[in-house]
Amino acid sequence: MNSSCIPKPFTEKVKLILKNIPKGKVTSYGTIAAMAGSPRAARQVVQIIHRTDNIPWHRVINSQGKIAIKEYEGFQEQKMLLSMEGVESDSNGKIDLDKFKWKCYSLDDLI
DNA sequence: GCCATGGCTAGTA
DNA sequence: GCCATGGCTAGTA
């Protein structure tokens, strides 16, 4: 037995947030980290997205409002998944945050 | 404990 | 530079 059966609050919160981002909206790694209580832990959000299957991942972009992944990492896939929900991005992956940013900054606002 | 990992980011130069 | 995980290792008991 190992510690993997113990709840991991930060990770669980991040997963909960990911599941609650509405279709057609995007948010950033940093925003999610802040909502989960650790404003400077954006890179942990990246890790969690990496290791978690069956979770919506494509609505997360960087704070500049751009798709953050490289071509070989699935840039086109993310772009397409977003466009299917009505989120437009230009060829550089730039998204209009005024239009598409999910306006939610606290866990309390989800529940 | 220590150390590497990582689709980042606020805030200088 | 930040910092939550997971994997590995020295070095106690």
Side-chain angles (χ1 to χ4, degrees):
Chain A
M1 221 36 179
N2 58 40
S3 59
S4 65
C5 48
I6 300 172
K8 300 174 182 67
F10 182 81
T11 302
E12 295 311 311
K13 286 180 196 170
V14 169
K15 290 179 185 173
L16 180 67
I17 293 162
L18 286 169
K19 290 179 196 160
N20 279 279
I21 305 171
K23 290 178 185 173
K25 293 291 175 185
V26 296
T27 191
S28 73
Y29 302 96
T31 300
I32 292 175
M35 289 176 73
S38 211
R40 288 174 295 186
R43 307 198 70 156
Q44 282 59 248
V45 176
V46 171
Q47 301 277 32
I48 291 162
I49 290 174
H50 253 265
R51 320 194 255 242
T52 309
D53 298 316
N54 306 315
I55 205 156
W57 56 276
H58 60 282
R59 303 187 185 106
V60 190
I61 60 179
N62 68 23
S63 65
Q64 313 297 309
K66 292 180 69 175
I67 292 174
I69 60 179
K70 300 286 194 278
E71 198 70 40
Y72 64 87
E73 292 166 329
F75 179 93
Q76 291 301 337
E77 184 186 4
Q78 183 168 9
K79 198 177 191 329
M80 188 194 66
L81 289 168
L82 286 171
S83 83
M84 293 191 310
E85 299 180 352
V87 177
E88 309 149 13
S89 52
D90 71 12
S91 57
N92 295 314
K94 177 75 177 169
I95 290 164
D96 184 350
L97 291 181
D98 288 334
K99 275 194 197 170
F100 300 113
K101 172 85 180 190
W102 183 35
K103 303 287 195 304
C104 179
Y105 302 95
S106 164
L107 253 189
D108 302 327
D109 297 336
L110 311 175
I111 318 166

